Amino acid sequence: MRRLSWVFATALCLGFTTPASAETVTVGPTGTYATLQQGVDALAAALSSSTQTQFILVSGSLSGPTTIDIPAGAKLSVTGGWNDTFSSRAGFSSLTASTNQRILDVTIGDGGALTLGHLNVFGANLLDGYGSALHLVSQGDVVIHDTTFQNNQCTNVGPVYLDSTGAGSVELTNVTTRNNSVNNLNSTTANGAGAYIYHQGSGPFAADGLLVFNNTTQGQNSNGGGLYFYASHPDTVVDIRNSEVFNNTMTGSSQAGGAAYVRIHQAASVYVSMNVYNNTATSQASLTGGASYNFGDIGSRVVVDDGEYYGNTATAHSSLPQLHIYFSATGNVDADIYNNRVSDGSGHGITLDQATGTYTARVLHNTFVSLGSRSVLVSEATDVIVQNNLRADAGEPLFSNVAADQTVNVDNPTIDINLLDNDFRMPAGHPLIDTGACFQSGPVVDVDGRSRPQGCGCEPGAFEVPNAEGCPTADAGNPGDNDAGTQPDDAGANPGDDDAGTGEPVDGGGQEPEPSVSPEPGPGDDVDDACACAKTPSSGAASGFAIVVLVALLRRRRR
């Protein structure tokens, strides 16, 4: 009997089957189809009868509107940047359309999925409506990566419009939206010229590397000159990181967020890490020229971390903050605001405000520089800690209408602005180093990812200063003594060893030796559940195993 190949045998044992092959069509000047719509139509039958992912490869530049209807359970991937032979990909493919045409109009059914990648979507002008570049309504999963939306216009909300419901997820990775505009001074809403995202579903939302810049919103009752984001399901998890919103403008009778308006009505948890800078709100009723975060009922924690907020202006109100956080929950919200750098504003740095419900907030390890007013303004708080923040040319934290026993406002020192580097780091050797408290619930790393603390205490502000010397131990008062502090050892190189450094322990002044700590089990270690410790193979067992292997090899050679 012939031997089966081990690969085939393994596949049989594991029950692998050959999946139904997915269809792939090519679109472009050298492709099978000339337009993206023709490619989508060619896959209509496959999309309606298969759960396998269907692929469209795009080469070159395409013009004309495209309507994509993905049935429930179906999956489609559209990727651009392919060469003329569709053998490799480098760069992007461009999609555009004529006036009053949507470039991409997409509907995804329950459990369906869409991936868009390596596309440049530009030049749409929808005179009456929204979502001129991308209008996407989804009950399934959405992945958009390495894609730019630019120079698009519409008259209501963003040229990039994404409305997600159901249990599907949304992932935006390395997406750029720039030089887009919403222009309608007579409109009741004109939100999110860069992107308007309405996430109503229970699935997670994640954005990594989102860039929103040089967008303009003009209209009545506007929010978010660059980015408008809304989430409203108690089970969703919102994660926005490594993203930037800058050089956006909002004009008219605007309300909140010249740069970004993030309204999270409900969510399981929220993490936001964004740089928001050099945005402008020129209106009569603007709340902030920078970012406005409105947090409702959040199941666990809200974290606003590792962001830069600077140079944002609201021309009608010079005292408005760089970052405005508004709590509108019916219950309690637990928020951490740390490792942020806030600077270059005529008003406050961060304001915390409350509508209904209660909130607990920790404003820790932020750096405030060159502000015209308070570094932190807290109003109507329930339980707030403002501590270990570093200030340079910024006012004291201020609490308004807050009971004294509900707040902590200490250890927020000032420093000469001339001593800070361009990133607002303290110089080595400064007296403020190691003077801050380290919080168990606070940030365990600084802005650079450096662990806290580096020395005997945490630094105030967003940065830890590297400390090569570390922190002295409890018996550091007698360098060279053994652990018990009674007899000298070998210059402290091995605390607890004898003077000669032979490795023989001293008697510790008659004290009982410290109990040894078993190492954590490692890969391949045998773990004894009874003692919860790792058993390493003995040398005898290892030798026996080697002999068995040697005998087996000799027997094989004799054959």
Side-chain angles (χ1 to χ4, degrees), residues 154-483:
C154 59
T155 57
N156 196 317
V157 297
V160 177
Y161 176 88
L162 199 162
D163 185 352
S164 56
T165 60
S169 62
V170 177
E171 296 181 24
L172 307 179
T173 304
N174 299 330
V175 172
T176 297
T177 170
R178 66 185 186 187
N179 300 105
N180 303 289
S181 62
V182 175
N183 302 307
N184 190 350
L185 291 176
N186 296 319
S187 174
T188 56
T189 57
N191 300 322
Y196 183 96
I197 301 171
Y198 203 72
H199 187 63
Q200 306 176 73
S202 60
F205 175 91
D208 193 340
L210 175 65
L211 299 180
V212 181
F213 62 95
N214 293 350
N215 302 286
T216 302
T217 297
Q218 300 182 72
Q220 309 295 324
N221 194 29
S222 301
N223 293 287
L227 171 66
Y228 181 98
F229 177 82
Y230 181 88
S232 61
H233 197 286
D235 295 331
T236 190
V237 173
V238 176
D239 191 306
I240 302 173
R241 63 183 66 219
N242 301 319
S243 298
E244 296 194 355
V245 183
F246 60 96
N247 293 350
N248 300 282
T249 302
M250 183 171 64
T251 62
S253 298
S254 306
Q255 286 194 331
Y261 180 74
V262 177
R263 169 73 171 101
I264 302 178
H265 178 64
Q266 287 182 305
S269 65
V270 177
Y271 179 86
V272 179
S273 175
M274 289 200 302
N275 297 335
V276 180
Y277 55 94
N278 295 344
N279 302 279
T280 302
T282 57
S283 61
Q284 298 176 357
S286 57
L287 292 179
T288 174
S292 182
Y293 299 158
N294 187 330
F295 298 122
D297 294 313
I298 313 299
S300 57
R301 287 202 310 165
V302 171
V303 176
V304 179
D305 176 25
D306 197 12
E308 293 186 60
Y309 301 85
Y310 64 88
N312 303 292
T313 60
T315 58
H317 301 276
S318 61
S319 63
L320 290 177
Q322 299 293 295
L323 171 60
H324 177 240
I325 299 178
Y326 188 71
F327 297 95
S328 59
T330 57
N332 182 64
V333 179
D334 189 20
D336 288 306
I337 303 156
Y338 50 67
N339 282 353
N340 299 287
R341 287 163 287 175
V342 186
S343 65
D344 299 324
S346 58
H348 308 300
I350 297 175
T351 62
L352 306 182
D353 203 357
Q354 178 182 354
T356 58
T358 60
Y359 72 91
T360 299
R362 290 162 294 278
V363 184
L364 309 174
H365 292 290
N366 301 282
T367 298
F368 300 95
V369 178
S370 298
L371 299 172
S373 191
R374 304 287 180 177
S375 54
V376 182
L377 176 63
V378 181
S379 178
E380 302 291 345
T382 302
D383 186 6
V384 174
I385 298 174
V386 179
Q387 192 167 359
N388 279 6
N389 300 285
L390 185 65
R391 299 174 295 118
D393 288 351
E396 287 275 2
L398 176 67
F399 291 80
S400 175
N401 300 324
V402 180
D405 61 352
Q406 294 177 334
T407 63
V408 175
N409 179 13
V410 296
D411 298 333
N412 300 294
T414 61
I415 189 173
D416 184 350
I417 190 173
N418 296 312
L419 296 178
L420 301 178
D421 67 10
N422 292 333
D423 289 325
F424 309 148
R425 293 178 175 86
M426 282 192 296
H430 193 277
L432 288 176
I433 292 174
D434 290 350
T435 60
C438 297
F439 296 87
Q440 184 176 2
S441 60
V444 296
V445 296
D446 72 352
V447 171
D448 291 332
R450 188 177 290 114
S451 62
R452 297 184 189 272
Q454 287 288 299
C456 298
C458 290
E459 271 74 271
F463 294 96
E464 282 286 298
V465 177
N467 189 340
E469 298 178 358
C471 186
T473 58
D475 57 20
N478 296 295
D481 286 2
N482 71 341
D483 292 346

Side-chain angles (χ1 to χ4, degrees), residues 76-101:
L76 177 65
S77 171
V78 180
T79 56
W82 294 91
N83 63 6
D84 291 344
T85 60
F86 297 94
S87 59
S88 64
R89 184 178 61 215
F92 299 82
S93 291
S94 295
L95 306 178
T96 189
S98 302
T99 299
N100 271 340
Q101 292 181 331

Side-chain angles (χ1 to χ4, degrees), residues 124-150:
N125 185 6
L126 202 59
L127 300 178
D128 185 14
Y130 50 90
S132 57
L134 172 65
H135 181 270
L136 195 157
V137 178
S138 174
Q139 292 182 319
D141 297 327
V142 176
V143 175
I144 305 177
H145 65 90
D146 302 293
T147 292
T148 297
F149 301 91
Q150 62 179 325

